[in-house]
Amino acid sequence: MPNPLLRYNPRRLLLVADLAGTLIFGIEGATAAVSGNLDFLGIMVLAFSTALVGGIIRDLLIGAVPPASLRDWRYPATAFTGGLIVFFLYRFLLRIPPNVMIDLDAMGLALFAVAGTEKALEYELSPFIAVLLGTITAVGGGTIRDIFLAQVPRVLNSDVYATAALVGATVLVACRKAKVPPIWAAILGGAVCFLVRVIAVSHHWNLPKAVSP
Amino acid sequence: MPNPLLRYNPRRLLLVADLAGTLIFGIEGATAAVSGNLDFLGIMVLAFSTALVGGIIRDLLIGAVPPASLRDWRYPATAFTGGLIVFFLYRFLLRIPPNVMIDLDAMGLALFAVAGTEKALEYELSPFIAVLLGTITAVGGGTIRDIFLAQVPRVLNSDVYATAALVGATVLVACRKAKVPPIWAAILGGAVCFLVRVIAVSHHWNLPKAVSP
Amino acid sequence: MPNPLLRYNPRRLLLVADLAGTLIFGIEGATAAVSGNLDFLGIMVLAFSTALVGGIIRDLLIGAVPPASLRDWRYPATAFTGGLIVFFLYRFLLRIPPNVMIDLDAMGLALFAVAGTEKALEYELSPFIAVLLGTITAVGGGTIRDIFLAQVPRVLNSDVYATAALVGATVLVACRKAKVPPIWAAILGGAVCFLVRVIAVSHHWNLPKAVSP
């Protein structure tokens, strides 16, 4: 009898990855709101946007409307839970070491990159587009958060952020092409995304800039 | 014979509320454009965006494409009328006392919250999602206006703005659940949204901030 | 036998106009990224967004999902090619005189205005809406680029930018109404858009501002 953890159910995998990423990104968005001195509602709006806008953009682009996060109350509820955690426990969150936050963020990035790519494949989009959509899902929420805070989105100038999502999504798609079992393709893609991001931060990796005169 | 005003026609109520809100928000967006020293086209673009983007986002999210404001020329025409009013009559608008502008804005907020919630219910979305969509409809346009002007959106830091829309939409949905006749549910929800906003401004209500150390 | 160049094939015209505009706007977005000191990925993201977001918004609004630029790999590939050109050849691009860049930009604007209007007409939207969608297609990408760079979008304060797209789209639609052969309507609309933009820049045309006290 196979290990039940390894029995692959794409919809359920998608849901679990999506909800876990939603909680992490909800907490992150809410933390950014508190740093920006916003009030309770600002915290909730940023938790919602950071957690769900990436997936909403993905669903709009593939024509899956209403988006999963509006059809299924568990998505907004999870994002708002992230906001409430920050609202009530901000003083404890401050004690979390920065590198734990970076790991959590990398985890959210990996989960959303996997979920976004999986859903694009499920809608039978081409591999190239699936990789793009996985990346957009992963970085969309953080981009909206930064736009809301009137900042240049991190995705544009943070070294190796979207790149990690892109690499992870590519690994997932490549594994699926190579007939790797879907559950392993997802785990591998997510792990690569997570590791690329975490190692890039700890080693201060930089992407090259344009060849200037 | 019933009072014809109270004969409920959801589509017509939606249209009237939407168009009235469109005019108010069009004027408001155009006024923000003039304050930002923008020219004729900037005025028109901000009138259009502030008035219509909230509804467009709602329609995209529920899959009602092309959005009502692009299928029906009366929406853009109304928004542009708001822009023209500001363009030609700006000197008179300046004489309007600020509290009248706040009342008008609260009225637009209430109209859009009602229209957005109604439309979500019409598309048979769950009550929770209908409340969210009503709120997004109400605050979406102003959010885009502020993003266009490179400012942190008012919805994030203005006390009790989106909250008023959220409360109004919740009242509407609760009344509908309680079998209140739809027209009264809409009037009640709109009135609550309007009053919460106006009273919050006059009493300088603030939402709590996160519990800090 | 008719000149094959003049044999009208709306889908192919749309594709060629779209891809040419995509390359120009991809180069422009990437150049803005280099000016903003962004790295390789920032260059690619801005090339992609500037080139494709206008058309993606158009496709979302008319319900053509997944958008053409995600269904057809040639769109993102063309945008990324623009990004790569800038990345590797930035020093040569710097030697291009500014007025050539303005001409290229005006060309992109004209191509996108034509492509956007054509596609809206193809989806049987009303002439008024087709003009709006043509304009949104033309200026959408640049607007996102400016929002990403935390600037007030050029479309709001740059004299006669969206106006040129609006005029070109109007000419195209008017010609189609007047039974001008589609290919000539497209050429005429595009030429008018290009000329209005280029002449406006060289003559420092300004749109009027609101009548102030």
Side-chain angles (χ1 to χ4, degrees):
Chain A
M1 211 181 86
N3 181 337
L5 253 179
L6 298 185
R7 247 183 291 151
Y8 181 66
N9 177 336
R11 296 214 151 268
R12 201 162 135 236
L13 179 69
L14 202 59
L15 182 71
V16 171
D18 250 6
L19 287 181
T22 298
L23 185 66
I24 292 174
F25 276 19
I27 289 175
E28 230 182 83
T31 308
V34 175
S35 307
N37 205 28
L38 300 176
D39 64 17
F40 180 69
L41 192 92
I43 293 171
M44 286 302 164
V45 171
L46 273 193
F48 181 87
S49 315
T50 308
L52 299 179
V53 165
I56 288 176
I57 293 175
R58 173 200 63 200
D59 288 353
L60 285 180
L61 290 176
I62 63 182
V65 284
S69 31
L70 293 185
R71 254 191 331 239
D72 185 338
W73 62 271
R74 285 174 294 189
Y75 287 96
T78 305
F80 289 138
T81 302
L84 288 173
I85 290 173
V86 171
F87 184 73
F88 288 111
L89 304 176
Y90 187 63
R91 71 170 82 190
F92 300 104
L93 290 175
L94 280 180
R95 295 202 204 129
I96 298 176
N99 61 325
V100 173
M101 290 308 282
I102 286 167
D103 287 0
L104 276 176
D105 177 59
M107 219 174 283
L109 191 75
L111 289 164
F112 273 12
V114 167
T117 312
E118 287 283 337
K119 187 150 185 182
L121 290 175
E122 202 187 303
Y123 274 72
E124 305 195 334
L125 291 165
S126 75
F128 177 47
I129 300 302
V131 167
L132 270 182
L133 281 172
T135 308
I136 289 172
T137 307
V139 304
T143 302
I144 289 290
R145 179 200 58 208
D146 295 343
I147 289 176
F148 271 4
L149 295 171
Q151 297 168 353
V152 173
R154 180 177 54 175
V155 63
L156 290 179
N157 50 28
S158 178
D159 316 317
V160 193
Y161 189 76
T163 310
L166 199 67
V167 171
T170 307
V171 167
L172 192 166
V173 167
C175 287
R176 292 285 283 269
K177 281 267 156 194
K179 306 284 176 206
V180 173
I183 179 75
W184 286 113
I187 289 172
L188 218 69
V192 166
C193 170
F194 176 81
L195 288 174
V196 167
R197 172 68 187 146
V198 166
I199 296 173
V201 170
S202 67
H203 287 63
H204 303 286
W205 280 355
N206 288 306
L207 287 177
K209 300 208 165 181
V211 184
S212 288
Chain B
M1 210 181 88
N3 181 336
L5 253 179
L6 299 185
R7 247 183 291 152
Y8 181 66
N9 178 335
R11 296 215 152 270
R12 200 164 135 235
L13 180 69
L14 203 60
L15 181 71
V16 172
D18 251 6
L19 287 181
T22 299
L23 185 66
I24 293 175
F25 276 21
I27 290 176
E28 230 181 85
T31 307
V34 174
S35 307
N37 204 28
L38 301 176
D39 64 17
F40 180 69
L41 192 91
I43 293 171
M44 286 302 165
V45 171
L46 272 194
F48 181 87
S49 314
T50 309
L52 299 179
V53 164
I56 288 176
I57 293 174
R58 173 200 61 199
D59 288 354
L60 286 180
L61 291 176
I62 63 182
V65 284
S69 32
L70 293 185
R71 254 190 331 238
D72 185 338
W73 62 271
R74 284 174 294 189
Y75 287 96
T78 305
F80 289 139
T81 302
L84 288 174
I85 289 174
V86 171
F87 184 73
F88 286 112
L89 304 176
Y90 187 62
R91 70 169 83 189
F92 299 105
L93 290 176
L94 279 180
R95 293 201 206 132
I96 297 177
N99 61 323
V100 173
M101 290 308 283
I102 287 168
D103 286 0
L104 276 176
D105 177 59
M107 219 174 283
L109 191 75
L111 290 164
F112 272 13
V114 167
T117 312
E118 288 282 336
K119 188 151 185 180
L121 290 175
E122 202 187 304
Y123 274 72
E124 304 194 336
L125 292 165
S126 75
F128 178 49
I129 300 303
V131 167
L132 270 183
L133 281 172
T135 308
I136 290 172
T137 308
V139 304
T143 303
I144 290 290
R145 178 201 58 207
D146 295 343
I147 289 176
F148 271 4
L149 295 171
Q151 296 167 355
V152 173
R154 181 177 54 174
V155 64
L156 289 181
N157 50 26
S158 176
D159 316 317
V160 193
Y161 189 76
T163 310
L166 199 67
V167 171
T170 307
V171 167
L172 192 165
V173 167
C175 286
R176 291 285 282 270
K177 281 267 157 194
K179 306 285 177 205
V180 173
I183 179 75
W184 287 112
I187 290 172
L188 218 69
V192 166
C193 170
F194 176 80
L195 287 174
V196 168
R197 172 67 186 147
V198 166
I199 296 174
V201 169
S202 67
H203 287 62
H204 303 286
W205 280 355
N206 288 305
L207 288 177
K209 301 209 164 178
V211 184
S212 287
Chain C
M1 209 181 87
N3 181 337
L5 253 179
L6 298 185
R7 246 183 293 152
Y8 181 66
N9 177 335
R11 296 214 150 271
R12 200 162 136 237
L13 179 68
L14 204 59
L15 181 72
V16 171
D18 251 5
L19 287 181
T22 298
L23 185 66
I24 292 175
F25 276 20
I27 289 175
E28 230 182 82
T31 308
V34 175
S35 307
N37 205 29
L38 301 176
D39 65 16
F40 180 69
L41 192 91
I43 293 171
M44 285 303 165
V45 171
L46 272 193
F48 181 86
S49 313
T50 308
L52 299 180
V53 165
I56 287 175
I57 293 175
R58 174 200 62 201
D59 288 354
L60 285 180
L61 291 176
I62 64 182
V65 283
S69 30
L70 293 185
R71 254 190 333 238
D72 185 339
W73 62 271
R74 284 173 294 188
Y75 286 95
T78 305
F80 289 138
T81 302
L84 288 174
I85 290 174
V86 171
F87 184 73
F88 287 112
L89 304 176
Y90 187 63
R91 71 170 82 191
F92 301 104
L93 289 176
L94 279 180
R95 294 200 206 132
I96 297 177
N99 61 324
V100 173
M101 290 308 282
I102 286 167
D103 286 0
L104 276 175
D105 177 58
M107 219 173 283
L109 191 75
L111 289 163
F112 272 13
V114 167
T117 312
E118 287 282 337
K119 187 150 186 183
L121 290 175
E122 200 187 305
Y123 273 73
E124 305 194 336
L125 291 165
S126 75
F128 178 48
I129 300 304
V131 167
L132 271 182
L133 281 172
T135 308
I136 290 171
T137 308
V139 304
T143 303
I144 290 289
R145 178 200 57 206
D146 295 342
I147 289 176
F148 271 4
L149 295 171
Q151 296 167 355
V152 174
R154 180 176 55 175
V155 63
L156 289 181
N157 50 27
S158 178
D159 315 316
V160 194
Y161 189 76
T163 310
L166 199 66
V167 171
T170 308
V171 167
L172 191 165
V173 168
C175 287
R176 292 285 282 268
K177 281 268 156 191
K179 307 285 175 204
V180 172
I183 179 75
W184 287 112
I187 290 172
L188 218 69
V192 166
C193 170
F194 176 80
L195 287 174
V196 167
R197 172 67 187 147
V198 166
I199 296 175
V201 170
S202 66
H203 287 63
H204 303 287
W205 279 353
N206 288 306
L207 287 178
K209 301 210 165 179
V211 183
S212 288

